[in-house]
Amino acid sequence: MTETTLSPIDLAATPDEILADYRIVFRSRQVSLISRREVMSGKAKFGIFGDGKELPQIAMAKVFEKGDFRSGYYRDQTFMFALGELSTIEFFAQLYAHTDLEADPATAGRSMNAHFATRSLERDGSWKDLTKQFNSAPDISPTGSQMPRLVGLAYASRLYREIKELHGYTQFSDNGNEIAFGTIGNAATAEGMFWESINAIGVLQAPALVSIWDDCYGISVSSEHQLVKQDISKLLEGFKFDSDSGRGYSVYSVAGWDYPGLIEAYSQAEKSVRENSIPAIVHVYELTQPQGHSTSGSHERYKSQERLDWESEFDCLVKFREWIISNKYATDEQIDRLEADEKIQVEESRKQAWGNFISPIEIERDRVAELIDDLAKLSEFPDQLKEIRSRLVTMPTPYRRDSMSAALKALTAVREEEIPAKYKLLEWKNSQFNLNEERYSSHQYSQSSQSALQVPEIEPEFSEHSPTVYGYEVLNALFEEALTRDPRIIAFGEDVGRLGDVNQGFRGLQDKFGELRVSDTGIREVTIVGQAIGMAMRGLRPIAEIQYLDYLLYALQIMSDDLATLQWRTKGGAKAPIIIRTRGHRLEGIWHSGSPMAGIINLVRGMYVIVPRDMTRAAGFYNTLLNSDEPGLIIEVLNGYRLKEQLPDNISEYTISLGVPEILRSGVDISVVTYGASCRIALEAAGRLSQVGIECEVIDVQTLLPFDIHNNILDSLKKTGRIIFIDEDVPGGTTAYMLQEVVEKQGGYVWLDSPPRTLPGKNHRPAYGSDGDYWSKPSADSMFEAIYNMMSESNPKQFPRYF
Ligand SMILES: Cc1ncc(C[n+]2csc(CCOP(=O)(O)OP(=O)(O)O)c2C)c(N)n1
């Protein structure tokens, strides 16, 4: 183990201030110890804590200013305590999964413990003044996933500083003075997205300060299995700033138990970032984990006795106390008194948090017990009901589900009896469903007045002067208008800047709006999306481009885990209204013509997924999303850029409502439901089918999330009695999703005269070349055949089988 390379400094702190720091460290440790006990006794389900990592967080908090952002992970409780952004009662409330926002303002009981967040939004979904508060992005559990958004949280400062038109947005930034602080464990630095983010931040020279909490382990796996040379500082050598390139990081290494060394390191690191605009990394080594990784297991199983002894000796709490006493800032007795006082206060907080959590649940339980009692008085099955009641009231720690379950059992017991009390219990049960819906399922989408579903529809306008242009020119006109209208709109992605994207949607716009508004990025899909998430969390309106739909898979994890869950996991505390733009379907070959739609739509619930069939439609959806406060994915049709369309006169204004399918061709025999590139092919097939006497109603669903919110497809099915779902996804993919929506959710099964059908692509990726495409995906021929067969099955006389 090495000593710190930084010498102790004159701290310029009074003994009182030093003791105040000690108090927070001790409090935090005490919270960890008591929380673990709560899990072990069954009051909480799982616990993960920041013990052993307290001291560097005190130093980090000292340089964290209002307006700054944290993007960190589950070890950061001391930092949040030190800022005053988390109280001990709130910590315990989250441990118990208290669903009240007042009790757990970070997640309202939706995340497991130690998932920290501050609230960026008012209750009505509008932004707070982020410059007046300490900010923390809402944590997620996947290790390393806090890094991609850090890119954007930091880069936003540069944009607010360097784009003149953004200077008026003082609610989000004070002239770009803010730093974004990242924290990550040493083992998680083995994740690809750590390196991608570090590289991106370095390329962008974004004001980030990244801390690595190094305790030599990732659960049981020691550094030798995690990193080359086992030492992240050595690996970061190449990232160090050099004045020739004007790029890179200031890198500091400091022991996690060295109070003055930590304070000096953070003060230097902050100066590097805030004053010199050079991002910084602080590698804090020699940290410990006194209680092991989490409540799931004990570290004695995998740490040697020598390591355990070392951890006891170098525990930052122990070392800090020794340092205070040896420097005569306080006596042993004074510290003992402080600790005794803190123990009482933490225990008080725990009691209070538990009482707040359990009493409404107990009140509900008592109410159910009372209602079951009432039932028992008049029922023919009093013994059964008394048994149900007794089981409920003798539970040591009741949950809401126990009361619900008891109510359901009691209702089952009296199902054939006519007792008035039964209806009271039923009423209680139904009211609880609504409350729990609100507790656990609200805010998956925006509930504000800016919800994308509330954006009023404005029709595109055409006149005799409306020119006919290529599809890409429609988008080009739209983006130009949008960039002119709103300086918060920032577009970026691979080849988006100088080239204006590979299909020219942004052609000429970098020249017009500058390199900060329309920019190129490296090939880094995860951090393109992460950059957008972070920027949007700070009030900007990013349009992030993923060059092809097939490469969206790289970013899908962060879309799914971070972006799509953001509003829900904070119960409306944060938002990131970004647009992810990509293009797909119908090029050639495995990785340029895929349509992995089911993977996407099933992983990004919480976002909108829009599949416009042409660029006029795409432009309308861009306008809708830009007028909302929600994130969406728009998948443009790859072969639509070179097709001619009429350019609407009101290109910057018209909007298209989400969740409203469009009937492209009316028909009475069968409803053909599809989207995107398949629309044109379905129309061709419908034309040929018409020649043999079959009239198809071709429906473009337009948006997969949300799906047909007014049940328009059901109306079509009522008319035709037959339905087929077509797309280029795999069997059981999005066609199955659409079938479920219409047949099950909309109740379409009642109207079916023939079995419903799906016509997806093949079970493999699309093969290369025109023939590969033909044999891999639905074509006008295969559509014709499938639909003709359905008609033939129901009326073989009129439609004889001839193939
Ligand atoms: C993507 C992902 N893989 C695995 C896990 C399970 N897991 C949780 S914490 C952890 C170890 C993290 O170690 P480190 O980054 O050093 O942080 P520490 O917990 O030691 O502070 C692992 C493997 C996870 N949460 N996310």
Side-chain angles (χ1 to χ4, degrees):
M1 308 287 175
T2 48
E3 288 291 312
T4 171
T5 50
L6 291 157
S7 56
I9 50 157
D10 176 9
L11 279 174
T14 64
D16 280 352
E17 285 164 345
I18 291 166
L19 278 189
D21 286 346
Y22 185 80
R23 188 180 276 279
I24 298 170
V25 171
F26 185 80
R27 178 185 304 158
S28 185
R29 179 64 59 91
Q30 200 56 24
V31 165
S32 303
L33 295 173
I34 293 193
S35 297
R36 186 180 177 86
R37 201 187 68 199
E38 291 302 273
V39 177
M40 294 307 157
S41 74
K43 279 193 177 140
K45 297 210 83 165
F46 171 79
I48 192 156
F49 313 111
D51 48 316
K53 318 246 172 352
E54 294 96 342
L55 206 51
Q57 296 179 29
I58 295 281
M60 180 168 120
K62 285 185 191 296
V63 297
F64 195 90
E65 292 185 359
K66 296 249 162 92
D68 288 348
F69 255 91
R70 162 188 172 276
S71 186
Y73 79 118
Y74 49 80
R75 298 288 180 211
D76 295 345
Q77 68 197 51
T78 315
F79 174 74
M80 299 300 283
F81 288 142
L83 290 183
E85 288 300 327
L86 176 72
S87 70
T88 46
I89 301 187
E90 287 166 353
F91 187 92
F92 286 119
Q94 195 182 54
L95 185 74
Y96 300 135
H98 195 150
T99 51
D100 195 334
L101 255 188
E102 305 299 325
D104 171 19
T107 75
R110 290 179 178 189
S111 278
M112 61 167 54
N113 91 305
H115 282 56
F116 309 110
T118 54
R119 299 187 77 75
S120 300
L121 305 181
E122 304 286 0
R123 285 270 174 150
D124 66 0
S126 62
W127 290 105
K128 292 183 172 180
D129 186 337
L130 302 184
T131 64
K132 299 261 180 332
Q133 61 179 39
F134 298 120
N135 299 290
S136 171
D139 292 358
I140 59 176
S141 298
T143 51
S145 292
Q146 67 274 37
M147 294 301 293
R149 75 167 96 91
L150 183 68
V151 178
L153 289 169
Y155 186 53
S157 289
R158 269 198 63 191
L159 297 170
Y160 279 115
R161 178 169 296 177
E162 294 175 34
I163 297 174
K164 210 169 65 265
E165 294 76 12
L166 288 176
H167 288 177
Y169 289 87
T170 53
Q171 179 182 17
F172 297 111
S173 177
D174 173 14
N175 194 32
N177 195 35
E178 301 78 21
I179 294 179
F181 287 72
T183 67
I184 186 165
N186 56 294
T189 66
E191 294 274 15
M193 63 179 98
F194 169 78
W195 296 100
E196 189 177 310
S197 304
I198 291 290
N199 183 56
I201 290 168
V203 168
L204 297 170
Q205 284 303 106
L209 197 167
V210 180
S211 297
I212 301 162
W213 307 146
D214 186 352
D215 61 9
C216 287
Y217 284 87
I219 310 186
S220 67
V221 182
S222 63
S223 291
E224 69 183 297
H225 299 290
Q226 306 277 6
L227 295 176
V228 182
K229 303 182 186 176
Q230 305 182 34
D231 182 348
I232 188 73
S233 281
K234 286 191 188 149
L235 301 188
L236 289 168
E237 282 289 324
F239 283 88
K240 281 191 173 159
F241 183 82
D242 68 65
S243 42
D244 291 345
S245 68
R247 289 272 196 281
Y249 286 81
S250 304
V251 181
Y252 306 87
S253 300
V254 56
W257 44 264
D258 177 2
Y259 179 68
L262 285 161
I263 290 181
E264 183 176 338
Y266 275 94
S267 114
Q268 286 182 17
E270 186 211 14
K271 197 181 276 178
S272 165
V273 185
R274 224 183 288 275
E275 291 175 21
N276 305 329
S277 303
I278 299 172
I281 300 174
V282 182
H283 172 208
V284 183
Y285 58 87
E286 296 192 355
L287 284 167
T288 67
Q289 209 144 266
Q291 300 190 110
H293 174 76
S294 70
T295 52
S296 302
S298 83
H299 58 160
E300 284 82 7
R301 287 180 302 166
Y302 50 83
K303 284 181 188 163
S304 67
Q305 194 52 49
E306 190 196 1
R307 172 76 196 186
L308 291 167
D309 292 344
W310 178 86
E311 290 206 9
S312 305
E313 190 185 342
F314 281 80
D315 181 329
C316 64
L317 177 68
V318 173
K319 281 274 176 201
F320 191 19
R321 185 179 163 127
E322 283 170 11
W323 181 85
I324 289 174
I325 289 168
S326 66
N327 283 282
K328 304 205 178 350
Y329 291 113
T331 62
D332 256 328
E333 294 70 36
Q334 279 172 309
I335 296 193
D336 284 348
R337 273 203 302 280
L338 178 155
E339 291 186 355
D341 178 48
E342 272 302 321
K343 278 186 183 169
I344 293 169
Q345 290 195 33
V346 171
E347 178 55 16
E348 268 310 306
S349 306
R350 184 203 64 75
K351 270 198 203 138
Q352 213 174 314
W354 177 252
N356 295 344
F357 167 73
I358 202 71
S359 17
I361 295 177
E362 285 176 343
I363 291 169
E364 278 169 29
R365 187 226 13 218
D366 294 347
R367 176 74 184 134
V368 172
E370 196 185 348
L371 289 169
I372 297 176
D373 256 348
D374 291 350
L375 275 183
K377 280 177 207 146
L378 297 169
S379 166
E380 283 175 30
F381 311 101
D383 294 345
Q384 203 180 332
L385 290 163
K386 278 182 190 152
E387 167 72 16
I388 294 168
R389 182 193 178 282
S390 147
R391 283 223 181 132
L392 177 63
V393 296
T394 52
M395 278 185 170
T397 313
Y399 291 107
R400 290 202 159 93
R401 66 174 187 190
D402 300 316
S403 298
M404 180 57 71
S405 192
L408 288 172
K409 284 178 191 147
L411 285 167
T412 309
V414 298
R415 66 191 178 281
E416 286 171 1
E417 296 184 296
E418 267 311 315
I419 314 169
K422 175 167 130 179
Y423 297 97
K424 282 206 174 145
L425 190 57
L426 204 55
E427 204 179 293
W428 179 87
K429 174 191 155 263
N430 293 340
S431 71
Q432 292 304 307
F433 269 121
N434 295 340
L435 285 173
N436 286 313
E437 185 72 13
E438 207 282 319
R439 277 187 194 114
Y440 296 108
S441 305
S442 70
H443 290 89
Q444 187 168 18
Y445 289 90
S446 171
Q447 296 187 194
S448 83
S449 57
Q450 279 185 287
S451 148
L453 300 181
Q454 309 245 12
V455 173
E457 178 148 306
I458 300 174
E459 298 268 317
E461 286 166 13
F462 299 97
S463 63
E464 70 230 48
H465 307 297
S466 311
T468 298
V469 298
Y470 286 115
Y472 78 86
E473 291 174 306
V474 175
L475 293 178
N476 197 244
L478 165 90
F479 291 137
E480 181 166 359
E481 291 281 344
L483 287 159
T484 306
R485 182 176 70 227
D486 187 345
R488 296 171 307 158
I489 295 176
I490 311 282
F492 52 91
E494 296 151 20
D495 302 293
V496 169
R498 182 182 288 203
L499 191 63
D501 90 44
V502 287
N503 292 95
Q504 302 291 278
F506 280 96
R507 184 161 80 172
L509 300 184
Q510 185 179 68
D511 286 343
K512 181 154 187 200
F513 294 95
E515 288 190 16
L516 292 171
R517 300 283 308 283
V518 181
S519 38
D520 285 319
T521 66
I523 307 174
R524 50 176 181 82
E525 286 77 12
V526 182
T527 52
I528 288 173
V529 172
Q531 181 175 328
I533 297 171
M535 286 164 58
M537 283 178 167
R538 293 194 56 196
L540 296 169
R541 300 300 310 245
I543 299 177
E545 177 167 323
I546 299 297
Q547 202 159 72
Y548 294 104
L549 176 59
D550 304 77
Y551 309 130
L552 189 76
L553 268 58
Y554 277 63
L556 197 51
Q557 179 269 334
I558 213 70
M559 288 165 63
S560 179
D561 287 328
D562 196 359
L563 181 61
T565 65
L566 182 63
Q567 290 235 17
W568 177 82
R569 76 179 189 267
T570 57
K571 204 176 180 191
K575 61 183 173 185
I578 77 177
I579 298 180
I580 299 174
R581 171 185 191 224
T582 190
R583 49 186 75 83
H585 326 294
R586 294 278 155 195
L587 198 60
E588 300 271 314
I590 303 178
W591 294 283
H592 292 86
S593 59
S595 192
M597 294 309 304
I600 296 166
I601 59 171
N602 287 306
L603 284 168
V604 301
R605 302 291 163 97
M607 286 184 71
Y608 294 117
V609 176
I610 299 166
V611 280
R613 67 178 180 279
D614 60 28
M615 301 310 158
T616 312
R617 233 74 16 205
F621 286 121
Y622 277 107
N623 282 331
T624 304
L625 285 182
L626 288 170
N627 280 312
S628 83
D629 66 356
E630 299 197 76
L633 168 69
I634 297 185
I635 301 166
E636 295 162 15
V637 174
L638 236 171
N639 57 7
Y641 297 110
R642 293 269 156 199
L643 298 177
K644 294 270 180 137
E645 297 180 31
Q646 212 182 3
L647 180 69
D649 297 342
N650 56 346
I651 183 75
S652 70
E653 281 152 29
Y654 74 95
T655 54
I656 304 180
S657 295
L658 306 188
V660 184
E662 193 178 328
I663 294 177
L664 306 182
R665 177 189 175 113
S666 298
V668 288
D669 293 320
I670 182 166
S671 303
V672 179
V673 181
T674 189
Y675 60 89
S678 300
C679 290
R680 277 193 322 115
I681 306 164
L683 283 172
E684 186 193 328
R688 282 166 53 187
L689 284 156
S690 176
Q691 288 166 12
V692 294
I694 297 169
E695 292 305 329
C696 299
E697 181 138 302
V698 179
I699 304 169
D700 174 8
V701 305
Q702 305 213 81
T703 66
L704 290 166
L705 296 176
F707 186 87
D708 187 17
I709 54 180
H710 305 305
N711 290 2
N712 292 353
I713 300 176
L714 183 67
D715 290 341
S716 170
L717 178 57
K718 284 179 188 170
K719 186 170 68 173
T720 61
R722 285 178 205 90
I723 194 159
I724 183 167
F725 300 91
I726 301 176
D727 79 352
E728 304 180 358
D729 198 359
V730 290
T734 306
T735 48
Y737 160 78
M738 297 193 289
L739 181 129
Q740 188 211 9
E741 287 286 329
V742 177
V743 174
E744 183 189 328
K745 287 201 197 158
Q746 299 186 357
Y749 67 94
V750 179
W751 302 92
L752 288 169
D753 295 332
S754 298
R757 259 212 74 173
T758 61
L759 182 64
K762 282 283 177 61
N763 212 8
H764 52 71
R765 301 286 186 100
Y768 185 61
S770 299
D771 280 346
D773 180 81
Y774 183 85
W775 298 105
S776 301
K777 290 180 165 184
S779 62
D781 290 343
S782 62
M783 290 180 197
F784 180 97
E785 194 172 328
I787 293 167
Y788 186 90
N789 278 350
M790 284 174 78
M791 296 305 294
S792 164
E793 273 160 25
S794 69
N795 189 348
K797 255 203 176 136
Q798 193 180 348
F799 305 109
R801 285 295 275 272
Y802 61 94
F803 46 74

